[in-house]
Structure formats: structure tokens, C-alpha cells
Amino acid sequence: MRVAIAGAGLAGLSCAKYLTDAGYTPIVLERRDVLGGKVAAWKDADGDWYETGLHIFFGAYPNMLQLFQELGIEDRLQWKEHTMIFNQPDAPGTYSRFDFPDIPAPFNGVAAILGNNDMLTWPEKIQFGLGLIPAMIKGQKYVEEMDKYSWSDWLKNHNIPLRVEKEVFIAMSKALNFINPNEISSTVLLTALNRFLQEKNGSKMAFLDGSPTERLCQPIVDYITARGGEVRLNAPVKEFLLNEDGTVKGFLMRGLDGAADEILTADIYVSAMPVDPLKVMLPEQWKQMEFFQKLEGLEGVPVINLHLWFDRKLTDIDHLLFSRSHLLSVYADMSNTCREYANPDRSMLELVLAPAQDWISKSDAEIVAATMEELKKLFPDHFATDNPAKLLKYHVVKTPRSVYKATPGRQAHRPSQKTPIANFYLAGDFTMQRYLASMEGATLSGKLTAQAIAEAHPQTESQATKIPTISQPATNAATV
Ligand SMILES: Cc1cc2nc3c(=O)[nH]c(=O)nc-3n(C[C@H](O)[C@H](O)[C@H](O)COP(=O)(O)OP(=O)(O)OC[C@H]3O[C@@H](n4cnc5c(N)ncnc54)[C@H](O)[C@@H]3O)c2cc1C
């Protein structure tokens, strides 16, 4: 059976990978000339990589880690010390850490929180702990119910001092969905806390050892093609063509460089496109259906990823840093964190600018100038001096619509991978799975799509069982 998949992001590639395992022949069709979607990366004229986003892999990513193992590339994940490091805005150039000791969960998380006295006072820690009690008792059901509140409202409802939000959760909200606590759904924060506190290594972080396009996406493509599948770049799907009964007849492929459009047919069709282009492409006939109407409630959030190369080393920290800057979210000195970008003499900072709403239409020069101002606070020794570090070059990557904006109420708008159309499925981080909008969520969604296809359209009886175990936290698991 041929399965046509629109989109070669992690969701589309994961779907194709697991379909090949189950004996199907996937044909992945990617609009752009680069693999990876939101993990795509490019090499500049000097041979330096720049990326759509600074990407962190967590210990709490079971499906992603399983995929690395299946591809035999686990050694490409560079695991860092088990800690979270925050800049201290009141003392520029200094850091505060949450160190997770090597003891079982949730004690290592509790020890990390209790051990940090720079950011939270004892009464604040106690108040926050008490606030989490309903979540502990009621579990995942409660986490889902809290989707009606923003994180700011949730904290207020639990009498947690505003300082806790300011000290810790502005940085975490921006890192998780590129928006502030007054906008983000409580479900997102509670899900992250849940995974970080329930699993010993849940919050342990890894960097990939090079560009995600070459080091992660290409091995998936090699796996697929070695087993008879196909991945085509520069292959934009223009339209879903329908049969009279509303099922898909084919993908109309846009002809490039003056070539005529062509029809691609398959037995089954998957959209692994982000939700924004999917909504635009929905056929009129489908738009009347409640399943597809719900998608109107989902929309990508803007974000900007910056890469700044300097004439000297700014830090030796080999980890992700939470900037706690108004302008920026997380950042890392990639010359320390990533093997392929390593440089013992010069730093390359990769920084995420969020929320990016007010910046997305500004020029690269304006964005870099504002970021350089922030660096005076992050690295005063190197920028607020007579001999400031010199910016050698930069790349700015803007994504006006990235992952879906996880404001309160979005959970009800996330679709299942199976649709009401018998031969049409969805994959993508926005589809329903418990890891929200992340690389893990995208990978898991692709696996769930492959499983749904194998169940509904088996070629042999054993096919569905060829898709390895799907790891999703159980719905009744206690939160912390
Ligand atoms: C700045 C930034 C930082 C991030 N940091 C992290 C992180 O640290 N950890 C983490 O887990 N996640 C992170 N993410 C989120 C993560 O990158 C995404 O959740 C994930 O990669 C989404 O994968 P996807 O396959 O669902 O969608 P996408 O990657 O968007 O893939 C969709 C694909 O569909 C293609 N497409 C669109 N239209 C068509 C068409 N008409 N025809 C054919 N193809 C089409 C697109 O070109 C794209 O390749 C970050 C994202 C960004 C932007």
C-alpha cells in the first residue's frame, strides 16, 4: 500500500519510518528544499550552520529517544549535567541553578527546588508545593481540566505569590511556547512539571551533536529509502483532490519552474503539514465538518532564532541558559554545547527571541541591535567594557507561525490523527498526544498516525504489531 505524506518535518518522517516498519510504502512530499520543517537548518558560505530553532531533547522524551535507538544514533545526543541554569537579572552576569541530585524521582526534583535559595524563599516554595496538591491527588484529568486557565490565573487561584511567576515561570512559559504566563494554558506548565518531577531524568537535557537536518532527519530518510519508501524535496502539495464521496482521490502537486501541476495518487493520504497551511488547504466539502472546523481554533505563534558569532569566548558554560530577559528566552553557547559547532576560541550564541509578536516584522539589523543591548546584562564583562566583544557575523531566522499557540482552551481544538475521511489522516505536533508542541509530540504523532493506518488498513494480520510500543503517560497517572 502506498501512503502519500505531505510534510517532511519530524511528524511526517516519523510516520513514514513506522509505516515502512509495518510494510507500507510511504512517499513523503516536502514543499521546501530542506528536511525537518521546524528543525530545519542551513549551512552558510563559511560552512557554519544556522537553525530554525535552538533545540533541546529531554529525558522525558521516550518516543524520540526510542527513535534514536532504532536508528542506531543515540551517541549523537550530548547529555548535559542534570541542572537548570537561570540568569539573575538583578546581578548581571551571575547565575542561579536548580541542581538535580542523583536520587529517585520525585525526590531529586524536590531537592532541586528546595536547594535553590536565590530565586524562591521558603514561604514561596511551601505555597507553591501546596498549590500542586490538587494536581497530585487528581492526576492527568486535573491537568486537562486546567486548560481553561492561564498559568497566571492558576497561580493566583492557588495564592502563589506573584514573585514566583516573575522569578521562575516567565522564563519557563517562554521556553515552552514562546509566550508569557498570562497567555499560556496551565495544562502546558502542569504537563511539563508532571514529566520533570515524575521521571528521574525527565528534565535532563541533551543537545544534538550537529545540525538536526543532517544528524537526525537524514538518518530517518536513509532508513525509509532503504526499505522502499521515498522522500521528495521541492514537492509542494497544492490541493487535496476529492472523490464524489469526499475521500481523497489524489494530491495535486504544484509544478515548479514552469512545469505543469501533476496528480500523485496513493492508497492512503496523510497531512503532516503545520496546522496553518492545512487550514488553508482544506477542501470546501470538508470545511463543513465539525472535525475540521475545530482547527480554526489553532494558530501558529511567532518566534525568532538568532545566531551570533563573536571574536572571543564569552563563557565556558556547556548548557542551556534561561536568560530571564524581557526580549529573549533561552540561549546557549553552541561552541561549547554542540560537537560540530565547537570552537575553543570563539563563541557562537544561539538565542531564542520570544514573545516575538512585536519583532517579527522588524529588520534583522534592528533585532540584532536589541539583542546586543541585552547581552550587556547577560555578559557584562564582555560587553559593558571599554573593549567589548566584537560581533563577527549573524543569522536571524524568523518563523512567523511556528508551533500552535497554547492559550487556554486549545486542547479542545486539537484533532485526533484519524479523521472522518476514510483514507485521510493527520500527523503533526498540534494533533492530540500528550507531549504538546515539541519534537517528542511531533515524533509521537507520526507514530500514532502510522498505528491508526495499520489498524484501519491492515495488509497482513501482524502489521499493526510491527509498530513499536507507544509511550504516553497514562491518563490517570498522578501529577507529581
Ligand atoms: C525556535 C524554536 C525552538 C524550538 N525548541 C524546541 C525544543 O527545544 N524542544 C522541542 O522538543 N521542540 C522545540 N521546538 C518545537 C519543534 O521544533 C516542533 O514541535 C516540531 O519540530 C514540529 O514538527 P512537525 O513535523 O509537527 O511540524 P513541522 O516541523 O512544521 O513540519 C511540517 C512540514 O510540512 C511542510 N509543508 C508545509 N506545507 C506543505 C505543502 N503544501 N506541501 C508539502 N509540505 C508542506 C513544511 O515545509 C514542513 O517541513 C522548537 C520550535 C521552534 C520554532
Side-chain angles (χ1 to χ4, degrees):
M1 266 190 185
R2 274 160 55 92
V3 185
I5 302 171
L10 288 174
L13 292 175
S14 144
C15 179
K17 190 265 175 204
Y18 290 109
L19 283 172
T20 59
D21 285 344
Y24 294 78
T25 307
I27 304 116
V28 184
L29 306 155
E30 169 55 46
R31 178 174 67 88
R32 301 198 292 178
D33 61 0
V34 58
L35 294 167
K38 289 191 247 304
V39 302
W42 301 266
K43 218 177 208 180
D44 70 11
D46 306 323
D48 291 320
W49 285 98
Y50 58 103
E51 312 179 335
T52 310
L54 169 58
H55 277 89
I56 300 296
F57 298 78
F58 285 95
Y61 280 5
N63 298 285
M64 187 89 227
L65 301 185
Q66 185 187 30
L67 179 62
F68 270 84
Q69 265 170 18
E70 287 163 1
L71 297 169
I73 57 168
E74 314 92 290
D75 59 335
R76 297 185 184 184
L77 284 173
Q78 295 183 253
W79 292 99
K80 307 300 175 190
E81 204 184 332
H82 198 173
T83 185
M84 287 188 174
I85 311 175
F86 289 70
N87 271 96
Q88 294 281 68
D90 296 336
T94 67
Y95 306 95
S96 177
R97 297 164 63 111
F98 288 87
D99 292 316
F100 290 69
D102 188 16
I103 54 173
F107 305 106
N108 62 343
V110 172
I113 295 168
L114 296 184
N116 181 302
N117 294 315
D118 313 320
M119 291 172 71
L120 298 178
T121 63
W122 276 94
E124 286 165 352
K125 290 176 201 175
I126 292 167
Q127 200 66 41
F128 183 58
L130 291 175
L132 286 176
I133 288 177
M136 290 183 215
I137 297 168
K138 297 181 200 158
Q140 186 67 29
K141 189 165 172 284
Y142 172 85
V143 173
E144 294 292 333
E145 279 166 15
M146 291 303 105
D147 192 42
K148 54 180 179 277
Y149 298 116
S150 71
W151 186 239
S152 294
D153 285 342
W154 188 91
L155 292 170
K156 264 185 230 134
N157 293 346
H158 293 83
N159 298 317
I160 294 162
L162 200 61
R163 241 185 54 83
V164 176
E165 172 175 310
K166 188 169 157 273
E167 289 294 302
V168 181
F169 288 112
I170 294 179
M172 275 193 82
S173 302
K174 292 195 339 167
L176 285 166
N177 198 236
F178 317 130
I179 53 179
N180 277 314
N182 62 340
E183 284 206 285
I184 200 167
S185 157
S186 298
T187 298
V188 178
L189 268 297
L190 290 169
T191 302
L193 287 171
N194 181 0
R195 304 270 49 87
F196 289 174
L197 289 170
Q198 264 193 0
E199 294 170 30
K200 183 180 170 189
N201 290 323
S203 57
K204 207 166 173 183
M205 301 180 213
F207 284 68
L208 194 60
D209 66 355
S211 91
T213 307
E214 261 192 12
R215 304 293 291 169
L216 171 57
C217 298
Q218 191 57 48
I220 313 178
V221 171
D222 294 342
Y223 186 101
I224 296 164
T225 49
R227 289 157 181 81
E230 248 184 89
V231 180
R232 296 186 201 164
L233 297 178
N234 299 308
V237 175
K238 182 177 172 187
E239 202 180 321
F240 304 149
L241 302 173
L242 300 191
N243 294 307
E244 268 179 23
D245 65 359
T247 56
V248 182
K249 185 162 74 178
F251 278 168
L252 183 64
M253 305 301 301
R254 187 185 298 282
L256 298 180
D257 304 324
D261 292 349
E262 272 180 21
I263 298 174
L264 184 136
T265 58
D267 300 294
I268 299 157
Y269 300 84
V270 176
S271 166
M273 303 190 295
V275 71
D276 300 285
L278 170 66
K279 284 191 305 191
V280 176
M281 211 178 282
L282 287 177
E284 280 308 316
Q285 205 178 331
W286 293 1
K287 281 188 186 160
Q288 320 305 323
M289 304 167 88
E290 199 196 331
F291 179 91
F292 293 108
Q293 277 172 359
K294 279 200 312 188
L295 298 179
E296 284 307 318
L298 299 175
E299 197 182 330
V301 64
V303 68
I304 300 171
N305 202 49
L306 289 109
H307 310 69
L308 308 178
W309 282 262
F310 291 99
D311 64 346
R312 68 187 71 165
K313 207 77 181 163
L314 303 176
T315 177
D316 56 5
I317 297 178
D318 177 12
H319 216 299
L320 183 78
L321 292 149
F322 291 82
S323 73
R324 295 184 65 211
S325 130
H326 213 63
L327 183 76
L328 304 168
S329 173
V330 289
Y331 68 102
D333 187 337
M334 300 296 278
S335 73
N336 301 330
T337 55
C338 171
R339 210 169 287 141
E340 202 181 332
Y341 305 171
N343 189 327
D345 305 317
R346 291 175 174 180
S347 285
M348 189 277 259
L349 296 185
E350 194 166 330
L351 310 106
V352 179
L353 189 157
Q357 186 76 32
D358 298 337
W359 289 93
I360 200 83
S361 52
K362 298 208 171 161
S363 70
D364 290 0
E366 278 176 287
I367 293 166
V368 171
T371 304
M372 291 296 289
E373 277 304 304
E374 290 300 301
L375 293 188
K376 287 185 185 160
K377 295 172 216 158
L378 301 180
F379 300 101
D381 293 350
H382 293 288
F383 292 99
T385 69
D386 296 342
N387 174 26
K390 201 168 147 227
L391 180 64
L392 300 177
K393 69 169 181 179
Y394 63 78
H395 287 293
V396 176
V397 183
K398 295 178 184 173
T399 307
R401 287 172 188 269
S402 70
V403 297
Y404 77 92
K405 190 173 178 179
T407 52
R410 290 319 92 198
Q411 288 293 81
H413 291 271
R414 298 176 64 197
S416 56
Q417 289 75 30
K418 191 170 163 57
T419 78
I421 310 298
N423 66 349
F424 181 74
Y425 291 78
L426 296 178
D429 59 2
F430 65 95
T431 62
M432 192 46 102
Q433 36 71 26
R434 290 203 190 284
Y435 289 90
L436 308 162
S438 64
M439 294 186 287
E440 169 71 7
T443 305
L444 172 57
S445 78
K447 203 193 248 184
L448 289 169
T449 310
Q451 192 187 51
I453 290 172
E455 273 166 16
H457 314 269
Q459 297 182 92
T460 64
E461 267 178 25
S462 63
Q463 218 150 31
T465 59
K466 296 239 174 70
I467 297 173
T469 338
I470 285 167
S471 304
Q472 282 211 89
T475 44
N476 60 353
T479 303
V480 283

